[in-house]
Amino acid sequence: MRKLCVIGDPVEHSLSPLIQNAMIGAAGLDCVYDARRVAGTDTVRWLEQAKQEGYAGFNATMPHKEHLVPLMDELSPDAALFRSVNTVCMKHGKLYGYNTDGDGVLQALREADMDPAGKNVLVLGAGGAAKAVVYKLVEAGATHVAVANRTVERAGALCAQVGAKGMTACDFSRETLCRRAAQSRLVVNCTSLGMTGTAGQFEDLSFLEELKPGAGVFDLIYSPTQTELLKAAHALGHKTANGLGMLIWQAVFALEHFSDTKLDGAAMAAVARKVLEGRE
Ligand code: NAP
């Protein structure tokens, strides 16, 4: 039986064991998945311990995603691009690092009828999650990506790192968000604004009024399932989706790496969604 887990600190809140064990059961895989609390200073020690304990792989959440990058024997193209690893496979004594967040968000956007191809997109935030999102929006053919962030220098650094044409870094003022929203057909919230127990709420959501009819608003947050941003966007008639789809799809792609199998993604995603809904 393959031993798998998620590492993080904290990790108790992680939904990965619930989702992964449900998908493992449905796919009939001979794996078991648990959660291990590993402090941010212990990433290297954990790798040794994981080998000794016979783990076949693990997912990583805060604060390990960046720490793992230089410790891998091989990195997938996305992990190398984002400088972040969320999935590690341990095979024949070697460490293979992947990042499934980007493919996860892209699949979730498409599933929500928010394919970014040919669209001007307004991204809110420029942290770790925004990096994967912005790279994938560009790769998927977004026409223009505006990255608005409270710390505008961070938005500038992200745009410079991605280095694609058709990107603009901007501030987070009401005026800027209104102007950018008027030009956009998709908004992706990658800030932690609205997340349960954290940074607070958007001070002003009037920029949503500037979006054209049929626009999409995607929030990476899934707790709460309906953020103030999504409620306001829905009330204005825009398409909305929360971050559950991204959470689910990044897990599906991670399980494909762990099991070295092409899974029925839609069936796996349905199993994960059902088990998540069952817990609410
Ligand atoms: P992060 O690296 O800490 O970035 C946080 C972002 O939020 C930064 O852009 C930060 O701006 C902004 N922010 C924080 N407080 C703010 C405030 N009061 N006003 C304006 N902006 C503020 O976090 P992350 O890892 O990118 O995660 C961001 C969100 O995505 C979290 O809610 C996380 O749960 C969610 N997420 C979801 C999934 C999923 O699977 N659905 C996956 C990953 C992340 P500054 O740069 O100015 O600080």
Side-chain angles (χ1 to χ4, degrees), residues 106-142:
L106 211 48
Q107 185 68 28
L109 282 166
R110 289 175 176 148
E111 200 177 52
D113 193 23
M114 297 184 198
D115 193 326
K119 293 193 176 112
N120 286 352
V121 186
L122 171 59
V123 172
L124 307 174
K131 197 192 290 185
V133 168
V134 169
Y135 267 115
K136 284 294 172 179
L137 290 173
V138 169
E139 186 187 296

PDB file of all heavy atoms in Angstrom, residues 106-142:
ATOM      1  N   LEU A 106      -7.028  26.439 -13.813  1.00  0.00           N
ATOM      2  CA  LEU A 106      -7.462  26.539 -15.216  1.00  0.00           C
ATOM      3  C   LEU A 106      -8.643  25.610 -15.489  1.00  0.00           C
ATOM      4  O   LEU A 106      -9.638  26.000 -16.123  1.00  0.00           O
ATOM      5  CB  LEU A 106      -6.276  26.172 -16.115  1.00  0.00           C
ATOM      6  CG  LEU A 106      -6.188  26.840 -17.471  1.00  0.00           C
ATOM      7  CD1 LEU A 106      -6.392  28.338 -17.390  1.00  0.00           C
ATOM      8  CD2 LEU A 106      -4.829  26.536 -18.089  1.00  0.00           C
ATOM      9  N   GLN A 107      -8.545  24.399 -14.993  1.00  0.00           N
ATOM     10  CA  GLN A 107      -9.638  23.440 -15.166  1.00  0.00           C
ATOM     11  C   GLN A 107     -10.901  23.943 -14.467  1.00  0.00           C
ATOM     12  O   GLN A 107     -12.011  23.847 -14.991  1.00  0.00           O
ATOM     13  CB  GLN A 107      -9.222  22.080 -14.590  1.00  0.00           C
ATOM     14  CG  GLN A 107     -10.213  20.963 -14.812  1.00  0.00           C
ATOM     15  CD  GLN A 107     -10.342  20.551 -16.265  1.00  0.00           C
ATOM     16  OE1 GLN A 107      -9.398  20.682 -17.046  1.00  0.00           O
ATOM     17  NE2 GLN A 107     -11.518  20.082 -16.653  1.00  0.00           N
ATOM     18  N   ALA A 108     -10.722  24.521 -13.275  1.00  0.00           N
ATOM     19  CA  ALA A 108     -11.878  25.032 -12.525  1.00  0.00           C
ATOM     20  C   ALA A 108     -12.520  26.214 -13.251  1.00  0.00           C
ATOM     21  O   ALA A 108     -13.756  26.334 -13.295  1.00  0.00           O
ATOM     22  CB  ALA A 108     -11.445  25.444 -11.121  1.00  0.00           C
ATOM     23  N   LEU A 109     -11.700  27.076 -13.840  1.00  0.00           N
ATOM     24  CA  LEU A 109     -12.246  28.217 -14.594  1.00  0.00           C
ATOM     25  C   LEU A 109     -13.068  27.716 -15.787  1.00  0.00           C
ATOM     26  O   LEU A 109     -14.172  28.185 -16.040  1.00  0.00           O
ATOM     27  CB  LEU A 109     -11.109  29.118 -15.101  1.00  0.00           C
ATOM     28  CG  LEU A 109     -10.479  30.066 -14.075  1.00  0.00           C
ATOM     29  CD1 LEU A 109      -9.171  30.642 -14.605  1.00  0.00           C
ATOM     30  CD2 LEU A 109     -11.446  31.199 -13.712  1.00  0.00           C
ATOM     31  N   ARG A 110     -12.531  26.741 -16.486  1.00  0.00           N
ATOM     32  CA  ARG A 110     -13.232  26.212 -17.669  1.00  0.00           C
ATOM     33  C   ARG A 110     -14.529  25.517 -17.261  1.00  0.00           C
ATOM     34  O   ARG A 110     -15.558  25.675 -17.913  1.00  0.00           O
ATOM     35  CB  ARG A 110     -12.311  25.263 -18.441  1.00  0.00           C
ATOM     36  CG  ARG A 110     -11.188  26.038 -19.147  1.00  0.00           C
ATOM     37  CD  ARG A 110     -10.191  25.131 -19.822  1.00  0.00           C
ATOM     38  NE  ARG A 110      -9.213  25.928 -20.556  1.00  0.00           N
ATOM     39  CZ  ARG A 110      -7.942  25.599 -20.739  1.00  0.00           C
ATOM     40  NH1 ARG A 110      -7.491  24.447 -20.267  1.00  0.00           N
ATOM     41  NH2 ARG A 110      -7.123  26.370 -21.410  1.00  0.00           N
ATOM     42  N   GLU A 111     -14.456  24.781 -16.168  1.00  0.00           N
ATOM     43  CA  GLU A 111     -15.650  24.079 -15.669  1.00  0.00           C
ATOM     44  C   GLU A 111     -16.753  25.077 -15.300  1.00  0.00           C
ATOM     45  O   GLU A 111     -17.935  24.787 -15.411  1.00  0.00           O
ATOM     46  CB  GLU A 111     -15.240  23.274 -14.437  1.00  0.00           C
ATOM     47  CG  GLU A 111     -16.168  22.151 -14.065  1.00  0.00           C
ATOM     48  CD  GLU A 111     -15.606  21.389 -12.860  1.00  0.00           C
ATOM     49  OE1 GLU A 111     -15.275  22.005 -11.829  1.00  0.00           O
ATOM     50  OE2 GLU A 111     -15.492  20.172 -12.968  1.00  0.00           O
ATOM     51  N   ALA A 112     -16.329  26.273 -14.843  1.00  0.00           N
ATOM     52  CA  ALA A 112     -17.299  27.311 -14.440  1.00  0.00           C
ATOM     53  C   ALA A 112     -17.685  28.211 -15.620  1.00  0.00           C
ATOM     54  O   ALA A 112     -18.281  29.274 -15.417  1.00  0.00           O
ATOM     55  CB  ALA A 112     -16.695  28.155 -13.313  1.00  0.00           C
ATOM     56  N   ASP A 113     -17.332  27.772 -16.845  1.00  0.00           N
ATOM     57  CA  ASP A 113     -17.644  28.561 -18.046  1.00  0.00           C
ATOM     58  C   ASP A 113     -16.952  29.925 -18.005  1.00  0.00           C
ATOM     59  O   ASP A 113     -17.544  30.943 -18.374  1.00  0.00           O
ATOM     60  CB  ASP A 113     -19.170  28.717 -18.183  1.00  0.00           C
ATOM     61  CG  ASP A 113     -19.563  29.237 -19.559  1.00  0.00           C
ATOM     62  OD1 ASP A 113     -18.773  29.072 -20.507  1.00  0.00           O
ATOM     63  OD2 ASP A 113     -20.653  29.834 -19.686  1.00  0.00           O
ATOM     64  N   MET A 114     -15.709  29.931 -17.537  1.00  0.00           N
ATOM     65  CA  MET A 114     -14.930  31.173 -17.462  1.00  0.00           C
ATOM     66  C   MET A 114     -13.569  30.987 -18.132  1.00  0.00           C
ATOM     67  O   MET A 114     -12.532  31.398 -17.601  1.00  0.00           O
ATOM     68  CB  MET A 114     -14.724  31.587 -15.994  1.00  0.00           C
ATOM     69  CG  MET A 114     -15.991  31.907 -15.250  1.00  0.00           C
ATOM     70  SD  MET A 114     -15.597  32.495 -13.583  1.00  0.00           S
ATOM     71  CE  MET A 114     -17.181  32.282 -12.776  1.00  0.00           C
ATOM     72  N   ASP A 115     -13.575  30.334 -19.296  1.00  0.00           N
ATOM     73  CA  ASP A 115     -12.308  30.125 -20.006  1.00  0.00           C
ATOM     74  C   ASP A 115     -11.657  31.483 -20.282  1.00  0.00           C
ATOM     75  O   ASP A 115     -12.291  32.358 -20.873  1.00  0.00           O
ATOM     76  CB  ASP A 115     -12.591  29.383 -21.321  1.00  0.00           C
ATOM     77  CG  ASP A 115     -11.322  28.855 -21.958  1.00  0.00           C
ATOM     78  OD1 ASP A 115     -10.272  29.524 -21.820  1.00  0.00           O
ATOM     79  OD2 ASP A 115     -11.370  27.785 -22.575  1.00  0.00           O
ATOM     80  N   PRO A 116     -10.398  31.678 -19.851  1.00  0.00           N
ATOM     81  CA  PRO A 116      -9.774  32.996 -20.027  1.00  0.00           C
ATOM     82  C   PRO A 116      -9.323  33.308 -21.458  1.00  0.00           C
ATOM     83  O   PRO A 116      -8.956  34.453 -21.735  1.00  0.00           O
ATOM     84  CB  PRO A 116      -8.556  32.922 -19.092  1.00  0.00           C
ATOM     85  CG  PRO A 116      -8.269  31.477 -18.928  1.00  0.00           C
ATOM     86  CD  PRO A 116      -9.554  30.735 -19.090  1.00  0.00           C
ATOM     87  N   ALA A 117      -9.342  32.318 -22.347  1.00  0.00           N
ATOM     88  CA  ALA A 117      -8.823  32.540 -23.706  1.00  0.00           C
ATOM     89  C   ALA A 117      -9.534  33.729 -24.353  1.00  0.00           C
ATOM     90  O   ALA A 117     -10.770  33.809 -24.346  1.00  0.00           O
ATOM     91  CB  ALA A 117      -9.022  31.279 -24.542  1.00  0.00           C
ATOM     92  N   GLY A 118      -8.756  34.656 -24.889  1.00  0.00           N
ATOM     93  CA  GLY A 118      -9.315  35.802 -25.619  1.00  0.00           C
ATOM     94  C   GLY A 118      -9.949  36.855 -24.729  1.00  0.00           C
ATOM     95  O   GLY A 118     -10.664  37.729 -25.220  1.00  0.00           O
ATOM     96  N   LYS A 119      -9.702  36.797 -23.436  1.00  0.00           N
ATOM     97  CA  LYS A 119     -10.349  37.749 -22.517  1.00  0.00           C
ATOM     98  C   LYS A 119      -9.325  38.678 -21.853  1.00  0.00           C
ATOM     99  O   LYS A 119      -8.185  38.282 -21.607  1.00  0.00           O
ATOM    100  CB  LYS A 119     -11.094  37.010 -21.401  1.00  0.00           C
ATOM    101  CG  LYS A 119     -12.284  36.231 -21.889  1.00  0.00           C
ATOM    102  CD  LYS A 119     -13.161  35.794 -20.731  1.00  0.00           C
ATOM    103  CE  LYS A 119     -14.409  35.096 -21.250  1.00  0.00           C
ATOM    104  NZ  LYS A 119     -14.450  33.681 -20.943  1.00  0.00           N
ATOM    105  N   ASN A 120      -9.790  39.879 -21.531  1.00  0.00           N
ATOM    106  CA  ASN A 120      -9.044  40.739 -20.611  1.00  0.00           C
ATOM    107  C   ASN A 120      -9.409  40.297 -19.205  1.00  0.00           C
ATOM    108  O   ASN A 120     -10.599  40.169 -18.887  1.00  0.00           O
ATOM    109  CB  ASN A 120      -9.451  42.202 -20.779  1.00  0.00           C
ATOM    110  CG  ASN A 120      -8.894  42.799 -22.051  1.00  0.00           C
ATOM    111  OD1 ASN A 120      -8.092  42.175 -22.745  1.00  0.00           O
ATOM    112  ND2 ASN A 120      -9.308  44.005 -22.369  1.00  0.00           N
ATOM    113  N   VAL A 121      -8.390  40.072 -18.379  1.00  0.00           N
ATOM    114  CA  VAL A 121      -8.645  39.540 -17.036  1.00  0.00           C
ATOM    115  C   VAL A 121      -8.064  40.498 -15.987  1.00  0.00           C
ATOM    116  O   VAL A 121      -6.961  41.021 -16.157  1.00  0.00           O
ATOM    117  CB  VAL A 121      -7.983  38.147 -16.856  1.00  0.00           C
ATOM    118  CG1 VAL A 121      -8.373  37.535 -15.511  1.00  0.00           C
ATOM    119  CG2 VAL A 121      -8.361  37.211 -17.997  1.00  0.00           C
ATOM    120  N   LEU A 122      -8.836  40.710 -14.941  1.00  0.00           N
ATOM    121  CA  LEU A 122      -8.356  41.492 -13.799  1.00  0.00           C
ATOM    122  C   LEU A 122      -8.051  40.524 -12.662  1.00  0.00           C
ATOM    123  O   LEU A 122      -8.954  39.830 -12.167  1.00  0.00           O
ATOM    124  CB  LEU A 122      -9.433  42.500 -13.370  1.00  0.00           C
ATOM    125  CG  LEU A 122      -9.180  43.257 -12.056  1.00  0.00           C
ATOM    126  CD1 LEU A 122      -7.879  44.045 -12.100  1.00  0.00           C
ATOM    127  CD2 LEU A 122     -10.368  44.193 -11.755  1.00  0.00           C
ATOM    128  N   VAL A 123      -6.778  40.441 -12.275  1.00  0.00           N
ATOM    129  CA  VAL A 123      -6.362  39.586 -11.155  1.00  0.00           C
ATOM    130  C   VAL A 123      -6.175  40.469  -9.931  1.00  0.00           C
ATOM    131  O   VAL A 123      -5.460  41.476  -9.986  1.00  0.00           O
ATOM    132  CB  VAL A 123      -5.036  38.853 -11.490  1.00  0.00           C
ATOM    133  CG1 VAL A 123      -4.490  38.109 -10.268  1.00  0.00           C
ATOM    134  CG2 VAL A 123      -5.252  37.874 -12.636  1.00  0.00           C
ATOM    135  N   LEU A 124      -6.798  40.085  -8.836  1.00  0.00           N
ATOM    136  CA  LEU A 124      -6.653  40.824  -7.579  1.00  0.00           C
ATOM    137  C   LEU A 124      -5.682  40.059  -6.705  1.00  0.00           C
ATOM    138  O   LEU A 124      -5.930  38.889  -6.372  1.00  0.00           O
ATOM    139  CB  LEU A 124      -8.014  40.951  -6.884  1.00  0.00           C
ATOM    140  CG  LEU A 124      -9.140  41.529  -7.752  1.00  0.00           C
ATOM    141  CD1 LEU A 124     -10.472  41.471  -7.005  1.00  0.00           C
ATOM    142  CD2 LEU A 124      -8.824  42.955  -8.163  1.00  0.00           C
ATOM    143  N   GLY A 125      -4.560  40.686  -6.345  1.00  0.00           N
ATOM    144  CA  GLY A 125      -3.563  40.026  -5.513  1.00  0.00           C
ATOM    145  C   GLY A 125      -2.332  39.635  -6.310  1.00  0.00           C
ATOM    146  O   GLY A 125      -2.403  39.460  -7.542  1.00  0.00           O
ATOM    147  N   ALA A 126      -1.206  39.516  -5.604  1.00  0.00           N
ATOM    148  CA  ALA A 126       0.057  39.168  -6.276  1.00  0.00           C
ATOM    149  C   ALA A 126       0.910  38.266  -5.380  1.00  0.00           C
ATOM    150  O   ALA A 126       2.135  38.311  -5.434  1.00  0.00           O
ATOM    151  CB  ALA A 126       0.822  40.446  -6.639  1.00  0.00           C
ATOM    152  N   GLY A 127       0.259  37.440  -4.560  1.00  0.00           N
ATOM    153  CA  GLY A 127       0.978  36.522  -3.677  1.00  0.00           C
ATOM    154  C   GLY A 127       1.280  35.208  -4.378  1.00  0.00           C
ATOM    155  O   GLY A 127       1.273  35.121  -5.615  1.00  0.00           O
ATOM    156  N   GLY A 128       1.507  34.160  -3.577  1.00  0.00           N
ATOM    157  CA  GLY A 128       1.887  32.862  -4.127  1.00  0.00           C
ATOM    158  C   GLY A 128       0.835  32.276  -5.061  1.00  0.00           C
ATOM    159  O   GLY A 128       1.165  31.765  -6.135  1.00  0.00           O
ATOM    160  N   ALA A 129      -0.426  32.349  -4.671  1.00  0.00           N
ATOM    161  CA  ALA A 129      -1.482  31.774  -5.511  1.00  0.00           C
ATOM    162  C   ALA A 129      -1.632  32.566  -6.813  1.00  0.00           C
ATOM    163  O   ALA A 129      -1.837  31.986  -7.889  1.00  0.00           O
ATOM    164  CB  ALA A 129      -2.802  31.757  -4.737  1.00  0.00           C
ATOM    165  N   ALA A 130      -1.505  33.884  -6.715  1.00  0.00           N
ATOM    166  CA  ALA A 130      -1.646  34.727  -7.911  1.00  0.00           C
ATOM    167  C   ALA A 130      -0.595  34.369  -8.961  1.00  0.00           C
ATOM    168  O   ALA A 130      -0.871  34.429 -10.162  1.00  0.00           O
ATOM    169  CB  ALA A 130      -1.521  36.196  -7.519  1.00  0.00           C
ATOM    170  N   LYS A 131       0.581  33.985  -8.495  1.00  0.00           N
ATOM    171  CA  LYS A 131       1.650  33.663  -9.440  1.00  0.00           C
ATOM    172  C   LYS A 131       1.232  32.515 -10.367  1.00  0.00           C
ATOM    173  O   LYS A 131       1.333  32.611 -11.586  1.00  0.00           O
ATOM    174  CB  LYS A 131       2.920  33.290  -8.669  1.00  0.00           C
ATOM    175  CG  LYS A 131       4.160  33.344  -9.526  1.00  0.00           C
ATOM    176  CD  LYS A 131       5.354  32.708  -8.854  1.00  0.00           C
ATOM    177  CE  LYS A 131       5.863  33.516  -7.676  1.00  0.00           C
ATOM    178  NZ  LYS A 131       7.102  32.924  -7.106  1.00  0.00           N
ATOM    179  N   ALA A 132       0.731  31.433  -9.777  1.00  0.00           N
ATOM    180  CA  ALA A 132       0.284  30.291 -10.592  1.00  0.00           C
ATOM    181  C   ALA A 132      -0.864  30.714 -11.506  1.00  0.00           C
ATOM    182  O   ALA A 132      -0.914  30.340 -12.684  1.00  0.00           O
ATOM    183  CB  ALA A 132      -0.163  29.153  -9.673  1.00  0.00           C
ATOM    184  N   VAL A 133      -1.773  31.515 -10.973  1.00  0.00           N
ATOM    185  CA  VAL A 133      -2.941  31.948 -11.748  1.00  0.00           C
ATOM    186  C   VAL A 133      -2.499  32.779 -12.953  1.00  0.00           C
ATOM    187  O   VAL A 133      -2.926  32.537 -14.089  1.00  0.00           O
ATOM    188  CB  VAL A 133      -3.907  32.765 -10.844  1.00  0.00           C
ATOM    189  CG1 VAL A 133      -4.965  33.477 -11.673  1.00  0.00           C
ATOM    190  CG2 VAL A 133      -4.562  31.845  -9.815  1.00  0.00           C
ATOM    191  N   VAL A 134      -1.626  33.743 -12.715  1.00  0.00           N
ATOM    192  CA  VAL A 134      -1.231  34.650 -13.799  1.00  0.00           C
ATOM    193  C   VAL A 134      -0.475  33.897 -14.895  1.00  0.00           C
ATOM    194  O   VAL A 134      -0.751  34.072 -16.088  1.00  0.00           O
ATOM    195  CB  VAL A 134      -0.395  35.830 -13.237  1.00  0.00           C
ATOM    196  CG1 VAL A 134       0.238  36.629 -14.364  1.00  0.00           C
ATOM    197  CG2 VAL A 134      -1.272  36.726 -12.371  1.00  0.00           C
ATOM    198  N   TYR A 135       0.452  33.033 -14.512  1.00  0.00           N
ATOM    199  CA  TYR A 135       1.162  32.236 -15.523  1.00  0.00           C
ATOM    200  C   TYR A 135       0.170  31.457 -16.386  1.00  0.00           C
ATOM    201  O   TYR A 135       0.295  31.385 -17.603  1.00  0.00           O
ATOM    202  CB  TYR A 135       2.120  31.250 -14.859  1.00  0.00           C
ATOM    203  CG  TYR A 135       3.538  31.765 -14.691  1.00  0.00           C
ATOM    204  CD1 TYR A 135       4.077  31.980 -13.434  1.00  0.00           C
ATOM    205  CD2 TYR A 135       4.347  32.004 -15.800  1.00  0.00           C
ATOM    206  CE1 TYR A 135       5.392  32.438 -13.278  1.00  0.00           C
ATOM    207  CE2 TYR A 135       5.662  32.460 -15.649  1.00  0.00           C
ATOM    208  CZ  TYR A 135       6.173  32.670 -14.395  1.00  0.00           C
ATOM    209  OH  TYR A 135       7.466  33.115 -14.242  1.00  0.00           O
ATOM    210  N   LYS A 136      -0.821  30.849 -15.748  1.00  0.00           N
ATOM    211  CA  LYS A 136      -1.748  29.991 -16.485  1.00  0.00           C
ATOM    212  C   LYS A 136      -2.722  30.803 -17.338  1.00  0.00           C
ATOM    213  O   LYS A 136      -3.138  30.361 -18.407  1.00  0.00           O
ATOM    214  CB  LYS A 136      -2.514  29.091 -15.500  1.00  0.00           C
ATOM    215  CG  LYS A 136      -1.675  27.951 -15.002  1.00  0.00           C
ATOM    216  CD  LYS A 136      -1.344  26.994 -16.158  1.00  0.00           C
ATOM    217  CE  LYS A 136      -0.359  25.943 -15.769  1.00  0.00           C
ATOM    218  NZ  LYS A 136      -0.054  25.000 -16.856  1.00  0.00           N
ATOM    219  N   LEU A 137      -3.108  31.992 -16.856  1.00  0.00           N
ATOM    220  CA  LEU A 137      -3.986  32.849 -17.669  1.00  0.00           C
ATOM    221  C   LEU A 137      -3.275  33.214 -18.969  1.00  0.00           C
ATOM    222  O   LEU A 137      -3.870  33.179 -20.052  1.00  0.00           O
ATOM    223  CB  LEU A 137      -4.346  34.125 -16.896  1.00  0.00           C
ATOM    224  CG  LEU A 137      -5.281  33.950 -15.694  1.00  0.00           C
ATOM    225  CD1 LEU A 137      -5.411  35.272 -14.926  1.00  0.00           C
ATOM    226  CD2 LEU A 137      -6.657  33.461 -16.129  1.00  0.00           C
ATOM    227  N   VAL A 138      -2.006  33.551 -18.853  1.00  0.00           N
ATOM    228  CA  VAL A 138      -1.223  33.913 -20.043  1.00  0.00           C
ATOM    229  C   VAL A 138      -1.106  32.704 -20.963  1.00  0.00           C
ATOM    230  O   VAL A 138      -1.368  32.786 -22.161  1.00  0.00           O
ATOM    231  CB  VAL A 138       0.176  34.445 -19.618  1.00  0.00           C
ATOM    232  CG1 VAL A 138       1.095  34.573 -20.822  1.00  0.00           C
ATOM    233  CG2 VAL A 138       0.035  35.777 -18.889  1.00  0.00           C
ATOM    234  N   GLU A 139      -0.754  31.547 -20.371  1.00  0.00           N
ATOM    235  CA  GLU A 139      -0.589  30.316 -21.159  1.00  0.00           C
ATOM    236  C   GLU A 139      -1.893  29.932 -21.865  1.00  0.00           C
ATOM    237  O   GLU A 139      -1.884  29.428 -22.979  1.00  0.00           O
ATOM    238  CB  GLU A 139      -0.147  29.189 -20.221  1.00  0.00           C
ATOM    239  CG  GLU A 139       0.205  27.890 -20.912  1.00  0.00           C
ATOM    240  CD  GLU A 139       0.462  26.781 -19.886  1.00  0.00           C
ATOM    241  OE1 GLU A 139       1.425  26.905 -19.119  1.00  0.00           O
ATOM    242  OE2 GLU A 139      -0.312  25.808 -19.856  1.00  0.00           O
ATOM    243  N   ALA A 140      -3.024  30.201 -21.198  1.00  0.00           N
ATOM    244  CA  ALA A 140      -4.331  29.803 -21.754  1.00  0.00           C
ATOM    245  C   ALA A 140      -4.854  30.814 -22.774  1.00  0.00           C
ATOM    246  O   ALA A 140      -5.951  30.653 -23.289  1.00  0.00           O
ATOM    247  CB  ALA A 140      -5.340  29.631 -20.622  1.00  0.00           C
ATOM    248  N   GLY A 141      -4.087  31.872 -23.030  1.00  0.00           N
ATOM    249  CA  GLY A 141      -4.472  32.783 -24.108  1.00  0.00           C
ATOM    250  C   GLY A 141      -5.294  33.988 -23.699  1.00  0.00           C
ATOM    251  O   GLY A 141      -6.009  34.558 -24.532  1.00  0.00           O
ATOM    252  N   ALA A 142      -5.187  34.405 -22.443  1.00  0.00           N
ATOM    253  CA  ALA A 142      -5.841  35.666 -22.057  1.00  0.00           C
ATOM    254  C   ALA A 142      -5.229  36.788 -22.891  1.00  0.00           C
ATOM    255  O   ALA A 142      -4.023  36.794 -23.149  1.00  0.00           O
ATOM    256  CB  ALA A 142      -5.624  35.937 -20.565  1.00  0.00           C
TER     257      ALA A 142
END
